[in-house]
Amino acid sequence: MSHILRKHRTAALFGAAIIAGAACLPFAINTSNAIAAPADAGGILAASGSFASIVDADKPAVVTITTTVKATDVSAGQQDSPMDEQFRQFFEDQGIPLPRQAPKNRPSQQAMALGSGFIISPDGVVVTNNHVIDNAVDIKVTLDDGTELPAKLIGTDPKSDVAVVKIEAGKPLQTIAWGDSDRLKLGDQILAIGNPFGIGTTVTAGIVSARGRDLHSGPYDDFIQIDAPINHGNSGGPLVDRSGNVVGINTAIYSPNGGSVGVGFAIPSDEAKAIVAKLQKDGSIDHGYLGVQIQPVTKDVADAVGLDKTGGALVAAVTADTPAAHAGVKPGDIITSVGGETVKTPKDLSRLVADLSPGAKKSLGIWRDGKTLDLNVTVGTNEDGQKQAAAESPDSQGQPSGQPSLGIGLAELTPDLRQQLDLPRAVSGAVVASVNPDKAAAAAGIQSGDVIVSVNDRPVHNTRDAKAAIAEAGKAGRKSVLLLIERDGNKTFVAVPFAAA
């Protein structure tokens, strides 16, 4: 199953024999390769309302991709599956011991997996999802006429879930052209073409249900949501508009049962085509990174720092020895622009940073201490996929504390408490000892055991510092107080409104 929508069930559309997850985080890169000839579909529906002209033009350019992947070994040292552990825990909670089975050794196996793709150049360049060919030891492409050809991997980008392969057909192949996904509107008609379950090329119709869907698979999610039925095996197939041009790559579905329920997701073409062009040229993509942990600027946060409106990305933490640290970015800063491009949300910052080439020099617009300033940063390389600017998930955001008027009680960070909370020696602050469930701090999510390390960007070393800084914010007429909280080794900002205290 997919990484995305972990609390629900969202599946990648790949595999008749294997179903695996997809990591889908599209973004744009300014490059211009991968130009395909436009489909001759007439641009409009026939008077009868038929899509036949579009299908006739596009279907020959849609392919089936079959891969041979090495199956995971099952050995004596391997742990139980998560499902096995859940069953075991359930029975043990009821006081019923569940005997462990004897370990089984199985020889390593190979399995077949299935997906779709589409041809964008007459010489055989094929676009698909990365998860369709991930871990493949052999890739084969079957054309619409049944011809099966070996494929060579040209490049992949796991972060955007896009891949490019190449086939040699010995003749020019029919292609399908990129369309303009930015022009799609809710309610526009679309077609999904692919090979669900391996039954053969299939066409389904629907509309654009939503734009900019974030499936929490990463910081670059910007999916097109569609209601055209797509299923396992559709992964990598084209989503086409009424002109017969590709406006998306079918990638995932939301499903309570593994099948289509009319909620599918596609990577927008305006992001995918730039990635494809880069992959054709270089075979891989280097993503830029800053080295910051960020979160949204809510109204309470804006009030606390003196902004007249929400917008930007609040820096919760800066990783040492990163481009952001070298540029002078500090926790509590609000990044409002990158290279002159406005940052409205943390997701904007993530995409803008990912678009930049490592080594690029850009100016960061910063709001700090009630005024704006510009910092020059040299963008780094995201080698391990974990360091780029990433919006913090709502359920991971810690919460503030303050004085009793906010609904909390504070305690000094004694050696015993430091040991209980497993805090490094470098951490100092005031410990939240109690939280009134009817007050603002509780509503903001503050928990007992949280450590307040700063108040309105002013470092806090003890309870006296915390109370004084909160009182000062109240006297200054601030509507909220901005607290930096340490919880479980992570730092995050939380704004608590005075009015609700």
Side-chain angles (χ1 to χ4, degrees):
M1 300 306 273
S2 172
H3 306 301
I4 49 187
L5 287 183
R6 295 178 184 273
K7 295 182 181 179
H8 305 285
R9 178 174 295 182
T10 308
L13 310 178
F14 138 71
I18 289 180
I19 300 174
C24 314
L25 8 146
F27 60 94
I29 296 174
N30 186 17
T31 177
S32 58
N33 293 328
I35 299 176
D40 183 15
I44 58 173
L45 293 178
S48 63
S50 173
F51 293 100
S53 61
I54 297 175
V55 176
D56 288 344
D58 289 350
K59 184 171 174 287
V62 180
V63 301
T64 297
I65 299 177
T66 308
T67 62
T68 302
V69 297
K70 187 175 182 179
T72 304
D73 291 343
V74 179
S75 61
Q78 192 172 8
Q79 296 180 347
D80 289 341
S81 71
M83 185 62 70
D84 290 338
E85 278 304 319
Q86 289 181 28
F87 277 117
R88 186 179 305 281
Q89 187 64 49
F90 171 79
F91 283 107
E92 289 177 355
D93 287 345
Q94 310 304 313
I96 307 172
L98 187 66
R100 290 187 178 272
Q101 297 180 349
K104 298 178 181 179
N105 287 304
R106 298 179 185 175
S108 114
Q109 305 175 34
Q110 288 188 334
M112 304 298 292
L114 178 79
S116 302
F118 54 95
I119 304 169
I120 61 167
S121 68
D123 61 347
V125 175
V126 177
V127 175
T128 187
N129 282 135
N130 174 73
H131 71 260
V132 171
I133 52 82
D134 193 28
N135 296 321
V137 296
D138 182 62
I139 305 172
K140 288 185 170 55
V141 170
T142 302
L143 303 180
D144 187 54
D145 64 6
T147 303
E148 185 177 88
L149 300 168
K152 175 184 177 181
L153 181 62
I154 300 299
T156 67
D157 181 37
K159 297 183 185 305
S160 62
D161 199 21
V162 174
V164 178
V165 300
K166 180 80 160 47
I167 55 177
E168 300 293 341
K171 62 179 181 180
L173 297 172
Q174 189 156 338
T175 65
I176 187 170
W178 292 109
D180 186 355
S181 59
D182 280 351
R183 299 183 63 181
L184 283 181
K185 298 179 180 179
L186 303 191
D188 281 354
Q189 292 176 308
I190 42 79
L191 297 179
I193 310 177
N195 188 352
F197 306 115
I199 62 175
T201 302
T202 301
V203 182
T204 56
I207 62 169
V208 175
S209 303
R211 295 297 312 270
R213 284 297 193 217
D214 183 353
L215 305 186
H216 306 295
S217 63
Y220 315 113
D221 286 11
D222 188 28
F223 288 98
I224 302 168
Q225 181 183 327
I226 61 173
D227 72 345
I230 51 179
N231 288 284
H232 298 297
N234 275 106
S235 265
L239 182 74
V240 303
D241 60 15
R242 289 178 55 174
S243 295
N245 296 325
V246 178
V247 290
I249 302 175
N250 299 318
T251 300
I253 58 174
Y254 174 90
S255 176
N257 55 23
S260 174
V261 292
V263 183
F265 304 96
I267 301 170
S269 63
D270 287 342
E271 295 165 345
K273 66 183 177 184
I275 298 168
V276 168
K278 185 69 172 178
L279 291 177
Q280 286 185 262
K281 180 182 178 183
D282 300 325
S284 62
I285 294 177
D286 289 328
H287 298 271
Y289 88 99
L290 289 181
V292 294
Q293 184 180 19
I294 52 179
Q295 62 186 78
V297 178
T298 64
K299 187 178 186 305
D300 287 338
V301 170
D303 289 341
V305 300
L307 278 174
D308 58 1
K309 61 180 180 180
T310 61
L314 174 63
V315 178
V318 180
T319 304
D321 196 28
T322 62
H326 295 158
V329 178
K330 299 178 180 180
D333 286 348
I334 294 178
I335 300 176
T336 57
S337 67
V338 177
E341 298 268 356
T342 300
V343 173
K344 295 181 179 179
T345 66
K347 195 69 71 176
D348 288 345
L349 178 61
S350 297
R351 292 171 186 146
L352 288 170
V353 170
D355 288 353
L356 298 174
S357 299
K361 299 181 185 300
K362 294 292 179 179
S363 174
L364 297 179
I366 301 290
W367 176 266
R368 179 191 295 171
D369 297 331
K371 57 186 178 182
T372 59
L373 64 152
D374 291 323
L375 299 178
N376 294 320
V377 64
T378 301
V379 179
T381 302
N382 184 355
E383 295 179 350
D384 62 4
Q386 301 298 319
K387 297 180 180 178
Q388 70 235 70
E392 188 174 284
S393 62
D395 56 325
S396 68
Q397 292 178 12
Q399 302 301 341
S401 81
Q403 54 184 185
S405 64
L406 296 180
I408 59 174
L410 299 179
E412 297 294 350
L413 182 53
T414 64
D416 287 343
L417 273 177
R418 184 182 298 277
Q419 184 175 6
Q420 291 176 28
L421 297 173
D422 195 24
L423 290 172
R425 288 180 177 271
V427 175
S428 62
V431 180
V432 177
S434 61
V435 182
N436 186 326
D438 299 322
K439 296 294 185 178
I446 297 299
Q447 301 175 9
S448 297
D450 288 345
V451 179
I452 303 171
V453 297
S454 77
V455 178
N456 284 350
D457 294 333
R458 175 172 156 183
V460 167
H461 301 290
N462 49 46
T463 57
R464 182 189 301 175
D465 289 349
K467 292 177 181 179
I470 292 170
E472 183 178 321
K475 290 178 181 178
R478 295 287 178 89
K479 296 179 180 179
S480 303
V481 62
L482 186 64
L483 306 175
L484 180 60
I485 298 300
E486 170 106 9
R487 179 192 295 169
D488 298 331
N490 297 312
K491 289 186 176 70
T492 187
F493 281 99
V494 179
V496 180
F498 282 115

